Amino acid sequence: MIDFSSPRHRSKFGYLLLAPAVLLMALIIIYPILLSVDISMKDVRIARIGKAEPWTLKNYAWLFGSEEFWNAIWVTAKMVLMVGGTALVIGLATAILVNQRFKGRSLARLFVALPWAVPEVVATVIWAWMLDSSFGVINWALLKSGIISEGIQFASNATASFYSVCFVMIWKGYPLVSIMLLAGLQSIPQEQYQAAEVDGAGVWQRFFYITIPNLMPVIGVTMVITTLWVFRDFAIIHVLTQGGPIGATTTLSILTFEQSFSFFRMGQGAAVGVVTMIICAVISRALVSRFANSVH
Amino acid sequence: MKRFTKTLAVTALSLSTALTAMPAAAETLTFVSWMKGEPGYGDWWNEVIAKFEAEHEGVNVEMTKVARAEYADTMFTMFAGGNPPDIVHLAAFEYQPFADEGWMEPLDAYIARDGKDLAGWAGQGTCEWEGQTACIMLLYTAYVMAYNEKLLAEAGITEPPSDWASYLAAAQAATKDTDGDGTIDQYGVGVASTGGANMMHDILHYVLDAGGAWTVDGKPAFDSPGVIEGLERFKTLYAEGLTPRDLGAGDMRQLMKEGRLAIRLDGPWIWNIVQGAEPEILADLKLAPSPFDPPVGGTSNVIGMPSDISDERKELVWDFIQTATSQEMQQRFATLGSSPAPMPGLDYAAEAASNPYFTLFAESNERAAAAGVDRLPKGLEIEFNEVTKLLFREAQRMLIEDLSAEEAAKNIQDAVLKIAG
C-alpha cells in the first residue's frame, strides 16, 4: 500500500485525483483532434473510424495548391479584421455608455446584450428574410427612403454579401465584447481617475492613459474570443450566403463543411480543419502574449 | 413490517406476470424521407406504411422528416456513423456515392428469388450501379409548365408560351410593379438561382431546348454550343429582372401559390403544391406542356436498403420495398402523386378522369423519355454535388462580372474537368 500522506507520495495522490479529469479531457478534446489529423492524412472521400488507410500528404498538396483555400484564408482574414475591429469599437462605446449613471441604464444594458441572447440560427434566419434581395424589408426601406434607387442584391453581389455577413456577425458579436469590457471598466479603481482629474487630465487623456491600459488584458481576451468565433462561425454565413457569391464569403469553416459534407471529400475537409486549428492556435498564442505583456 | 413485505411480494409477482403476458417488443424499421408531410407523395408514403404494418403484425415503421436541403449530409452522417435508416430513400442523383461506398445492399438476389418483374420499369436503369441493382426507382417524371392565366391575360398574353421566344415575351410582359411603389412585385418566370440541383435543372430547360446537354457519352460538354445558348437564355432572364433573384425552387412555388409569379416550369408535384393556394388564385393556376423541346425530365427518387443491417431486418425492408412497388400501391402512387408511376401497364383511366392534367403528365413523361433525357448528368454521378456547386458559382460569376455565356461555359468545363479528372 502506498502511503499517500507521506511527503514522498503526496504528489502522486494529487495526480491520482486529477487523472479522471485529465482522461476525460483527453477523450473529449484530444481524441477528435487526433482523429481529424488522421483523416486529413488519408486519401478518402468518406472517413470511417477503424478502417486502415495508408497515410499520404495528398490532401495537403491539394490544399496549398488550391485557389479556394487561399481565397478562404483571405476572406477569413478580412472578416476577422472587419468583425473583430468593428465589434471592439462598438462594444467599447456601448460599454462606456452603459457604465455611466443615467435613468434607464438597466434597460439600456438589456438592449445592448439582447442580440447576444438571441439564438444564432434564429437571428440569422430573421436577417436572411430582412436582407432578401427581392422581398426583404431592408431593400424596401432603403428604396422608400430614397437612399438607393435600385435594390441591393445581397446574395448575388460579392461586396454586398461580404458586408451583410460582417454586419450580422458584428450585430451578433458586439454584445459579448461590450459585456466583457463593461466588467473591465467596473474593475478600474476610481482613485486613478480622481488623481488624474486633480492633475488636470482631460477626458481623452483619462481615456487613453487610464481606461485603455487598464482594459488591455480584457481587450486581449475579448479579441482572442472574437477572433476564434469569427474563424469557426458557420451558421451565419451558411444561412445568409452559403459562402457565395463566387466565394466572397467562403471562410475556412465554410470550406471545411463544403469539402466534408457537400462534396464528401472528408480527407480534404479535415486538412482544411487541421490548418484552421493551427492558425487559430498561433493567433491565440500571439494575442494572449501581446496583451499579457502590455499589462506588465 | 410483515404486511409490508407481503404487499411488496404480491406487487412484484403481479408486475412480473403482467410483463410476461405482454407481447414481445414491437420491431421498428426506421425510415428517413424529405417527403413526410408533403401533399400527394407524403400521403402515399403514409398509405404504404399503413399497408405494410397491417401485413406485418408487431412491426412499425418510424418515418422521420429531414429537410431536402440537409438530406444528403444527414444521410451520409448516418451511414458513416454506422447508423443508417433501415429503409433508404434517396434522390436518384445522390444514391451513387452511397452505392460506391458499399453502403447499399444489392437487390438482385431478392429480385431473382421473388421473381420481381422490373421489365419496363421507368428509369430503373439509373439504379444499376457497377453491374448490380442498388435500388428501385420510385419516380421518373418530366417537367410541365404551371402558369397563372389571369396574370398572363392581364399582360396581353392569351395563349401559354410554346417556345423560347413566346416564353421570353410572356415573361417580359408579366413582370410588373403592380402597386406603383417602384419595386417589382410580380414576376414573369421563376428560375431558381440559389444553387443546388434545382437551379441546375432549371437551367437545363434552356440547354436542352437549344440542343445541348451537360454531358455527351459520359464526358463533360459544358462548353458545347447548346449549353452556351442555355446559359445565355438564363442570363437574359436574370439580367432583365424577369425572375425573382436569389430565391430557390420552394420560394418560387410559394410565389406561384400567392399569385405573384406568372410561369414556373416544374415537376407534376407543382399541381399538388398549388392546391394550397387561396381559391381565387387557384382558379387561375393552370398547367400546360413545357414550351421547351425536349422537356426536362428524368429519374427522381429511389428506395433501397443498407448493407449494414441484419439479414432479418433486410427481409423486412425488402417486404416494405415490395409493398411500395406492388401494383396496388403503384396505382395509388399515380392517384395521390398525380403523376404516372414507374410500373408499366397500369390503368390510368380513373386518374385521368379525376385529374385534368394526368394525361399531360403522362405525355410529358413520354416526350422526355423518348428523347433520352435525364436530369442527372451521366458520367458525373459521384461528383454531382460539386458540379452543381461549380455551375452555380460560374453562373453567378457570369452575372456579377458580366461575362459572356461562352466564357462562363468554358470556366464550368475547365472546373468540371479538374474535379472529374
Side-chain angles (χ1 to χ4, degrees):
Chain A
M1 268 303 265
I2 301 171
D3 178 12
F4 287 118
S5 63
S6 78
R8 196 173 151 220
H9 296 299
R10 200 169 290 159
S11 60
K12 287 179 187 164
F13 185 59
Y15 288 127
L16 198 67
L17 290 176
L18 277 174
V22 170
L23 282 173
L24 198 65
M25 281 183 69
L27 199 70
I28 294 170
I29 300 170
I30 299 171
Y31 176 68
I33 292 174
L34 292 177
L35 200 62
S36 298
V37 174
D38 180 56
I39 294 169
S40 76
M41 303 283 277
K42 290 174 176 173
D43 183 19
V44 290
R45 288 186 76 97
I46 308 294
R48 278 192 268 187
I49 296 168
K51 192 177 179 188
E53 294 276 352
W55 276 16
T56 170
L57 290 174
K58 205 176 160 185
N59 294 324
Y60 289 94
W62 164 81
L63 190 71
F64 293 113
S66 145
E67 277 176 35
E68 290 113 65
F69 173 68
W70 293 111
N71 175 64
I73 291 266
W74 173 234
V75 171
T76 310
K78 280 196 299 180
M79 210 169 269
V80 165
L81 287 174
M82 173 65 73
V83 175
T86 314
L88 180 66
V89 171
I90 297 174
L92 182 60
T94 49
I96 291 170
L97 179 72
V98 297
N99 195 36
Q100 308 299 314
R101 291 179 191 281
F102 61 91
K103 204 175 173 186
R105 185 171 73 164
S106 303
L107 200 64
R109 285 183 176 178
L110 177 74
F111 276 113
V112 166
L114 205 58
W116 187 55
V118 181
E120 191 164 280
V121 172
V122 174
T124 312
V125 168
I126 292 168
W127 275 108
W129 289 341
M130 292 200 294
L131 290 165
D132 186 274
S133 304
S134 302
F135 304 101
V137 70
I138 291 182
N139 255 342
W140 177 83
L142 291 172
L143 283 165
K144 274 281 177 195
S145 58
I147 295 171
I148 55 170
S149 56
E150 198 179 323
I152 300 170
Q153 303 306 312
F154 288 107
S156 56
N157 176 311
T159 310
S161 292
F162 179 78
Y163 285 108
S164 61
V165 166
C166 286
F167 177 80
V168 176
M169 286 182 110
I170 291 164
W171 177 85
K172 190 78 186 78
Y174 90 85
L176 179 68
V177 179
S178 188
I179 290 164
M180 291 190 70
L181 294 183
L182 179 62
L185 283 171
Q186 289 177 343
S187 68
I188 300 173
Q190 287 302 306
E191 292 80 4
Q192 291 187 15
Y193 289 109
Q194 288 159 2
E197 272 188 64
V198 169
D199 289 344
V203 173
W204 289 108
Q205 284 170 313
R206 291 202 299 272
F207 178 71
F208 283 113
Y209 293 108
I210 297 174
T211 308
I212 293 294
N214 274 294
L215 278 182
M216 276 317 241
V218 185
I219 290 175
V221 172
T222 309
M223 288 314 293
V224 170
I225 293 173
T226 310
T227 303
L228 295 183
W229 173 65
V230 177
F231 255 94
R232 69 177 172 75
D233 191 74
F234 171 76
I236 291 176
I237 306 172
H238 187 67
V239 172
L240 285 180
T241 63
Q242 296 183 323
I246 52 175
T249 56
T250 302
T251 57
L252 288 165
S253 59
I254 291 286
L255 186 65
T256 306
F257 174 82
E258 197 173 70
Q259 290 296 327
S260 302
F261 299 106
S262 292
F263 303 161
F264 299 107
R265 294 186 187 273
M266 290 185 178
Q268 294 182 179
V272 183
V274 168
V275 171
T276 307
M277 184 183 68
I278 292 167
I279 294 171
C280 284
V282 170
I283 291 174
S284 304
R285 182 78 188 95
L287 279 176
V288 168
S289 302
R290 171 75 187 80
F291 286 102
N293 289 339
S294 70
V295 179
H296 303 294
Chain B
M1 184 65 193
K2 197 175 172 184
R3 191 173 169 187
F4 173 71
T5 313
K6 195 176 171 184
T7 310
L8 197 70
V10 169
T11 309
L13 186 66
S14 313
L15 204 63
S16 66
T17 310
L19 287 172
T20 314
M22 279 175 71
E27 186 147 21
T28 301
L29 295 182
T30 53
F31 175 28
V32 176
S33 174
W34 67 93
M35 288 182 175
K36 183 180 169 71
E38 271 186 20
Y41 296 128
D43 301 329
W44 178 72
W45 279 118
N46 289 341
E47 286 199 9
V48 172
I49 291 167
K51 182 173 164 61
F52 174 80
E53 287 178 345
E55 289 170 354
H56 297 76
E57 200 181 340
V59 182
N60 297 322
V61 176
E62 187 182 275
M63 189 181 188
T64 311
K65 184 179 177 83
V66 172
R68 187 56 241 166
E70 292 91 39
Y71 198 76
D73 313 349
T74 308
M75 291 293 273
F76 259 101
T77 309
M78 291 176 84
F79 272 89
N83 188 30
D86 295 310
I87 299 159
V88 180
H89 185 214
L90 290 164
F93 59 78
E94 72 192 2
Y95 91 83
Q96 294 82 1
F98 292 82
D100 198 50
E101 285 292 323
W103 289 340
M104 303 277 283
E105 177 76 8
L107 302 178
D108 304 272
Y110 296 92
I111 292 167
R113 185 192 69 190
D114 293 352
K116 187 163 188 64
D117 184 11
L118 291 173
W121 195 274
Q124 183 57 25
T126 301
C127 273
E128 302 299 318
W129 186 253
E130 296 189 345
Q132 291 183 310
T133 306
C135 52
I136 292 183
M137 190 57 62
L138 286 178
L139 179 61
Y140 176 92
T141 188
Y143 281 44
V144 294
M145 180 172 66
Y147 66 98
N148 187 314
E149 195 174 47
K150 185 180 167 200
L151 299 189
L152 287 182
E154 284 171 354
I157 308 292
T158 51
E159 290 293 320
S162 55
D163 56 18
W164 164 247
S166 56
Y167 173 83
L168 180 61
Q172 287 166 333
T175 300
K176 286 179 184 171
D177 168 16
T178 56
D179 57 8
D181 69 348
T183 307
I184 298 293
D185 50 22
Q186 176 185 302
Y187 288 90
V189 294
V191 183
S193 56
T194 53
N198 280 322
M199 180 183 168
M200 195 164 167
H201 302 334
D202 279 5
I203 298 177
L204 185 59
H205 293 289
Y206 317 124
V207 170
L208 291 173
D209 190 55
W214 300 133
T215 58
V216 174
D217 298 330
K219 304 285 179 209
F222 291 89
D223 55 355
S224 60
V227 175
I228 291 170
E229 172 62 20
L231 288 171
E232 186 63 49
R233 291 180 183 184
F234 169 72
K235 188 181 176 184
T236 302
L237 295 171
Y238 208 84
E240 290 189 21
L242 308 178
T243 173
R245 297 184 173 200
D246 309 328
L247 294 185
D251 302 312
M252 299 300 177
R253 291 167 193 145
Q254 183 60 32
L255 289 178
M256 196 88 215
K257 276 169 69 176
E258 292 174 8
R260 289 199 281 168
L261 192 63
I263 299 170
R264 165 79 189 154
L265 295 166
D266 217 324
W269 45 80
I270 186 79
W271 185 240
N272 281 328
I273 292 171
V274 298
Q275 296 308 305
E278 294 295 324
E280 63 273 19
I281 295 172
L282 182 60
D284 298 319
L285 298 179
K286 304 280 161 62
L287 300 186
S290 168
F292 302 117
D293 187 32
V296 168
T299 49
S300 175
N301 59 97
V302 304
I303 190 169
M305 71 167 83
S307 52
D308 246 6
I309 55 173
S310 68
D311 289 344
E312 292 76 22
R313 288 182 93 75
K314 281 178 187 167
E315 286 297 337
L316 284 173
V317 175
W318 174 246
D319 282 355
F320 186 85
I321 294 172
Q322 287 271 52
T323 305
T325 55
S326 64
Q327 184 166 352
E328 179 192 346
M329 292 319 297
Q330 287 291 294
Q331 195 74 53
R332 290 297 294 156
F333 180 91
T335 306
L336 294 169
S338 304
S339 58
M343 176 179 264
L346 295 176
D347 178 10
Y348 293 133
E351 284 76 17
S354 63
N355 183 338
Y357 295 113
F358 199 88
T359 310
L360 167 68
F361 301 145
E363 286 171 359
S364 299
N365 274 14
E366 282 169 24
R367 275 175 70 199
V373 176
D374 197 345
R375 298 176 297 180
L376 181 68
K378 293 283 177 205
L380 294 173
E381 293 92 346
I382 296 285
E383 295 86 8
F384 184 70
N385 282 350
E386 277 175 281
V387 172
T388 56
K389 178 86 183 179
L390 289 174
L391 191 128
F392 175 46
R393 189 185 71 193
E394 296 309 326
Q396 273 193 321
R397 196 189 303 282
M398 174 177 74
L399 299 170
I400 291 168
E401 297 176 4
D402 196 24
L403 299 180
S404 68
E406 287 87 352
E407 288 171 294
K410 185 183 178 305
N411 289 344
I412 299 168
Q413 177 75 359
D414 291 347
V416 171
L417 287 176
K418 206 169 165 184
I419 57 160

